[in-house]
Amino acid sequence: MMRMKMSALCGFVLTTLLVLASARPKAAGAQSPGGRGPAGPEQKCKSGPVDLVFLIDSSRSVRPHEFETMRKFMIDILSTLDIGLNATRVGVVQYSSQVRSEFSLKTHPGLDAMVKGINEIIPLAQGTMTGLAIKYVMNSAFIDEEGDRPKVPNVAVIVTDGRPQDRVAEVAAEARGKGIEIYAVGVARADMASLRAMASPPFEDHVFLVESFDLIHQFGLQFQDKLCGVDLCLESEHSCEHICESSPGSFHCLCLPGYTLREDGKTCAAIDLCAEERHDCEQICVTSPGSFTCDCNKGFKLDEDKKSCTMIDYCSFGNHSCDHECEGVLNGYFCRCHQGYRLLDAKRCEAIDLCAEEKHNCEQICFSAPGVFTCDCNEGFKLNEDKKTCTPIDLCAEGKDDCEQICVSARGVFTCDCNEGFKLNEDRKTCTNMDLCSSVQHGCEHQCVSTPGSFYCVCPEGQLLQEDGQSCGSCKSANIDLVLLIDGSKSVRPQNFELVKKFVNQVVDSLDVSAQGTRVGLVQYSSRVRTEFPLNRHHTADEIKAAVMKVDYMEKGTMTGLALKHMLETSFSEAEGARPADRNIPRVGLVFTDGRSQDDITEFAKKAKEAGITMYAVGVGKAVEDELREIASEPLEKHFYYTTDFSAISTIAENLKLNVCPAESQGKIEVKDPCACESLVEFQQATMSSLEQLTSKLSAMTARLEQLENQLLSRK
């Protein structure tokens, strides 16, 4: 098969040489092909400037003697052309599995140099990558750097003897799109479909399959006519319906404006831009061949852009008689009122009085404007943020007074007063302290001490002030200053820390907490110490318990010694709410831990007890008993508690009683049975005493309020 292909290629080349020889201009007196006049034997084809590139197949199927025939074929064609840098430029590219440029369009300015370059070509003798070769010619041969000239026709002649081994259709279409005119010449068994995919239209002028001398003769003549400028539109039956446009050696049909060329390449069809939706009319498209005009529906007019439509504004005619506004609609108009007005009939408007129609929600005063309202308030009141309701002006609450102590407010005015134990000065603003001990029934059993606006009772040395704040006694078991140190180290764990907080609240439940009674402070420690709340922060058991439940778990280490130091130096300071030592209020510290301390506890455990602080030690789990005993006060059996499990600490809280008298502060702890007769009697007595105190204070407050009301009425 290869021998047949090579024989065909050789025959093609030889025949082409004969055709080219016969296609050259004839001697004087002879008639050239196509009816052209006589020409001398040395006359060249005087075509316009052309940039011509031969793309020759040098695959292994082309035998050496056949390649020599192809070499001679190119030389014979060049001999008929007007070669020169300003006339026809020629380049040669050979390809197989790869592509190689033998010389470019700018390499040789004359025929002799080109012939020498063609004779020096060495065949590649590999595959048939025609698509790769076309891409090379498009991107690397027809470029400015290689001699391609602007506005000069680009012509490529592809000579191949077989089927391409790669895709050619896409790259050939791209090349044609860039203006390259492609002739595809096939030898013997070359693939016709591939030739048509490569060649420029019309195919009858650009595709040649060499199987006989007649076809080669036709190719030689037509190719020579192309380069020599024969006008095929004038000299052939082109069959174009509208316009025939010549190109060198070929022609193509065109259509008049507004028409498009049909698939036959000759007849034309009118372009209906409206039907193809290639218009931008807003409403109606009126078509004509290749063009269109726009129009509008009834009630609309065409805008100046001749595309969009605008509704006809009947209001602009000036005869609508609307009171306020005229609103145009399709094929007509209607009247509309300004905001706050309503339409009476089709044209007249009246203001809407929302206040008169009671369509408002002002609490006191309504001010009307057309369709809207605003609210206001009577004298002595101010409008709230909702702009509707009113609030009495409280100059005292707004801080718009200059009273030293008490401001008594009325609507828009105020009067000044003083706290109990003070009297109002003549300026009716400032107050002077009175000696309440000498002016009121203080009820102190031993001694009354006046303070600004108040007083307190004190007892002789060796006695304690009792719950009523007036009487004295030898023991005050319900009044202590208690600081709890709870271990928040990592070993406790979050779920057990919640049990510790419940333990603290159980302890608080057993105490009589108040500002004058028992005070409680809480400190958590791990690698550092943090005061959760001091002794003077909370004054009721509920406040303390709520604060305890909000405490966050610290984690990390166990610095018990550092916590004892903090308790001694900070927690039991008067700045944090501890009452003065001369008040003889017992101070109690309770340490709760679950492990061995990471620092020394000896120094501050000893100093705490030397300072008169009764120390309790409660241990759980891995707590070290020796450390707990060193912390606890004597006797140890009253001040030291231990359990192996966190779930058992609630039992300790139930049995732990912290009612300490001064005489017991060195280690004794009173554990009372709440159901014993003595305890019930004591509870009853304490309750009755508290009720009597509350009754007395209520009577004093009632009298004071009556006095203030009388003063206010007398000023009015």
Side-chain angles (χ1 to χ4, degrees):
M1 181 176 178
M2 183 180 295
R3 180 173 299 175
M4 291 175 63
K5 290 174 63 179
M6 293 308 302
S7 298
L9 178 62
C10 182
F12 158 72
V13 174
L14 292 173
T15 304
T16 302
L17 290 174
L18 294 173
V19 171
L20 288 173
S22 65
R24 293 178 183 176
K26 296 183 178 181
Q31 190 75 12
S32 64
R36 291 186 292 271
E42 301 301 325
Q43 183 177 352
K44 298 286 185 179
C45 175
K46 296 293 184 179
S47 66
V50 175
D51 289 338
L52 171 64
V53 173
F54 285 97
L55 188 57
I56 59 174
D57 179 357
S58 63
S59 59
R60 64 174 63 92
S61 62
V62 180
R63 297 184 178 184
H65 68 277
E66 294 170 336
F67 192 83
E68 291 302 320
T69 303
M70 191 184 305
R71 197 192 310 266
K72 188 174 185 304
F73 159 71
M74 287 189 290
I75 293 172
D76 287 342
I77 288 182
L78 294 181
S79 299
T80 69
L81 302 179
D82 184 16
I83 303 297
L85 294 178
N86 295 322
T88 297
R89 296 185 182 184
V90 179
V92 176
V93 175
Q94 70 158 317
Y95 73 95
S96 59
S97 296
Q98 56 183 312
V99 182
R100 186 167 70 197
S101 175
E102 297 302 332
F103 55 83
S104 69
L105 294 169
K106 69 176 183 179
T107 304
H108 301 307
L111 177 60
D112 293 341
M114 287 184 187
V115 171
K116 184 175 183 294
I118 291 173
N119 286 327
E120 292 175 352
I121 296 174
I122 299 174
L124 295 171
Q126 295 173 359
T128 310
M129 302 295 286
T130 310
L132 180 66
I134 295 173
K135 186 173 183 180
Y136 177 86
V137 169
M138 175 177 62
N139 295 330
S140 301
F142 287 117
I143 59 175
D144 295 344
E145 293 81 356
E146 295 299 321
D148 182 58
R149 293 167 289 182
K151 299 182 180 180
V152 172
N154 291 339
V155 178
V157 177
I158 303 173
V159 182
T160 180
D161 77 327
R163 182 188 299 273
Q165 294 175 339
D166 57 355
R167 298 172 66 90
V168 297
E170 292 84 355
V171 68
E174 185 180 357
R176 294 193 302 269
K178 291 186 176 181
I180 301 174
E181 186 172 4
I182 300 176
Y183 285 81
V185 181
V187 179
R189 298 184 182 274
D191 179 49
M192 176 58 76
S194 299
L195 296 175
R196 293 172 66 89
M198 293 186 286
S200 298
F203 295 142
E204 57 265 26
D205 296 334
H206 294 81
V207 177
F208 298 91
L209 184 60
V210 178
E211 294 178 351
S212 68
F213 288 102
D214 292 339
L215 290 176
I216 295 174
H217 176 71
Q218 182 181 354
F219 168 69
L221 290 175
Q222 190 159 339
F223 188 68
Q224 186 179 12
D225 287 343
K226 161 190 163 29
L227 295 182
C228 293
V230 175
D231 189 341
L232 296 180
C233 286
L234 297 176
E235 300 184 14
S236 67
E237 290 294 332
H238 53 75
S239 300
C240 295
E241 183 178 356
H242 284 181
I243 301 170
C244 175
E245 182 174 84
S246 292
S247 58
S250 181
F251 70 91
H252 60 275
C253 297
L254 299 175
C255 293
L256 296 173
Y259 293 82
T260 183
L261 197 65
R262 290 194 172 99
E263 291 184 359
D264 61 8
K266 296 179 180 180
T267 60
C268 299
I271 299 172
D272 188 345
L273 297 178
C274 294
E276 296 176 9
E277 295 186 356
R278 293 164 56 189
H279 65 90
D280 47 4
C281 298
E282 183 178 356
Q283 293 185 359
I284 300 173
C285 177
V286 181
T287 188
S288 58
S291 182
F292 66 89
T293 56
C294 299
D295 202 355
C296 298
N297 297 324
K298 183 179 179 182
F300 293 83
K301 62 180 180 179
L302 197 63
D303 294 337
E304 291 184 1
D305 61 5
K306 302 301 181 182
K307 299 174 184 178
S308 57
C309 298
T310 301
M311 188 175 66
I312 297 172
D313 185 5
Y314 289 90
C315 294
S316 64
F317 299 161
N319 58 354
H320 52 76
S321 302
C322 294
D323 225 359
H324 285 177
E325 299 175 10
C326 176
E327 180 74 17
V329 295
L330 186 61
N331 297 318
Y333 70 91
F334 68 90
C335 294
R336 186 171 60 186
C337 297
H338 296 154
Q339 188 174 1
Y341 293 80
R342 66 166 63 94
L343 200 62
L344 284 179
D345 47 34
K347 297 182 179 181
R348 293 185 302 118
C349 301
E350 71 169 359
I352 300 172
D353 188 343
L354 296 178
C355 293
E357 296 177 11
E358 295 187 355
K359 294 180 179 178
H360 67 90
N361 47 6
C362 298
E363 184 178 359
Q364 294 184 359
I365 300 172
C366 176
F367 289 110
S368 182
V372 294
F373 65 89
T374 55
C375 299
D376 202 355
C377 299
N378 298 325
E379 186 176 0
F381 291 82
K382 64 179 180 179
L383 198 62
N384 295 328
E385 290 185 1
D386 61 6
K387 303 300 183 183
K388 299 172 184 178
T389 59
C390 299
T391 300
I393 298 173
D394 188 347
L395 297 178
C396 297
E398 295 176 5
K400 296 179 179 179
D401 66 274
D402 48 3
C403 299
E404 183 180 359
Q405 292 186 358
I406 298 174
C407 177
V408 181
S409 181
R411 293 176 183 173
V413 296
F414 69 90
T415 56
C416 298
D417 201 356
C418 299
N419 297 325
E420 188 175 357
F422 292 82
K423 63 180 179 179
L424 195 64
N425 295 327
E426 292 183 0
D427 61 6
R428 315 305 297 173
K429 299 176 182 178
T430 59
C431 300
T432 300
N433 185 25
M434 297 188 299
D435 185 358
L436 294 181
C437 287
S438 60
S439 60
V440 299
Q441 295 293 328
H442 53 76
C444 294
E445 179 181 336
H446 177 66
Q447 182 181 351
C448 176
V449 178
S450 292
T451 60
S454 184
F455 67 91
Y456 65 90
C457 301
V458 296
C459 295
E461 186 175 357
Q463 293 190 18
L464 295 175
L465 194 65
Q466 297 302 300
E467 283 295 323
D468 59 6
Q470 298 174 338
S471 58
C472 300
S474 60
C475 178
K476 185 180 179 183
S477 60
N479 293 355
I480 61 174
D481 286 344
L482 170 64
V483 175
L484 297 105
L485 303 180
I486 60 173
D487 183 352
S489 62
K490 187 175 183 179
S491 61
V492 173
R493 298 188 179 178
Q495 63 271 27
N496 291 332
F497 189 73
E498 294 301 314
L499 296 176
V500 174
K501 293 196 287 186
K502 290 182 180 179
F503 166 80
V504 171
N505 283 346
Q506 280 185 274
V507 173
V508 172
D509 283 335
S510 69
L511 303 174
D512 183 15
V513 178
S514 67
Q516 287 75 36
T518 293
R519 298 182 181 181
V520 179
L522 181 63
V523 174
Q524 183 184 176
Y525 70 93
S526 58
S527 298
R528 56 188 179 88
V529 182
R530 182 174 74 200
T531 298
E532 301 296 350
F533 53 83
L535 289 165
N536 57 2
R537 174 73 57 80
H538 304 297
H539 303 307
T540 68
D542 288 340
E543 291 178 1
I544 292 173
K545 289 163 68 177
V548 169
M549 296 311 295
K550 294 178 181 178
V551 171
D552 292 327
Y553 179 33
M554 293 175 69
E555 299 191 17
K556 298 190 178 179
T558 310
M559 304 294 284
T560 310
L562 182 63
L564 289 168
K565 180 177 183 294
H566 180 87
M567 177 196 73
L568 178 64
E569 297 178 352
T570 303
S571 300
F572 280 118
S573 66
E574 293 185 27
E576 294 220 348
R579 285 167 281 199
D582 58 10
R583 295 280 301 275
N584 228 10
I585 304 297
R587 296 181 175 180
V588 179
L590 189 152
V591 178
F592 185 99
T593 181
D594 82 323
R596 181 185 297 275
S597 175
Q598 294 175 337
D599 60 352
D600 182 58
I601 64 167
T602 304
E603 177 184 358
F604 287 100
K606 180 180 179 182
K607 286 184 177 181
K609 289 181 281 190
E610 289 176 350
I613 301 173
T614 301
M615 294 299 300
Y616 289 81
V618 178
V620 180
K622 296 182 181 180
V624 180
E625 289 194 25
D626 290 344
E627 290 185 352
L628 297 174
R629 294 175 185 276
E630 191 169 356
I631 292 171
S633 296
E634 295 291 342
L636 293 177
E637 62 271 15
K638 299 292 185 180
H639 299 86
F640 162 61
Y641 296 87
Y642 174 80
T643 181
T644 58
D645 191 355
F646 275 90
S647 61
I649 61 176
S650 60
T651 304
I652 296 177
E654 291 174 1
N655 297 325
L656 183 65
K657 303 297 180 182
L658 301 176
N659 297 329
V660 181
C661 291
E664 300 168 329
S665 62
Q666 295 304 314
K668 294 180 181 179
I669 182 165
E670 180 180 5
V671 180
K672 298 181 179 181
D673 181 2
C675 296
C677 181
E678 179 184 355
S679 298
L680 292 174
V681 172
E682 181 180 344
F683 173 76
Q684 184 178 8
Q685 290 175 346
T687 303
M688 294 301 296
S689 175
S690 298
L691 288 173
E692 289 174 2
Q693 293 178 41
L694 290 172
T695 302
S696 176
K697 291 180 180 179
L698 181 60
S699 298
M701 290 175 64
T702 302
R704 182 59 178 162
L705 286 172
E706 290 177 355
Q707 180 184 359
L708 292 173
E709 288 176 357
N710 292 333
Q711 291 177 359
L712 183 60
L713 291 172
S714 64
R715 290 171 185 170
K716 290 184 177 180

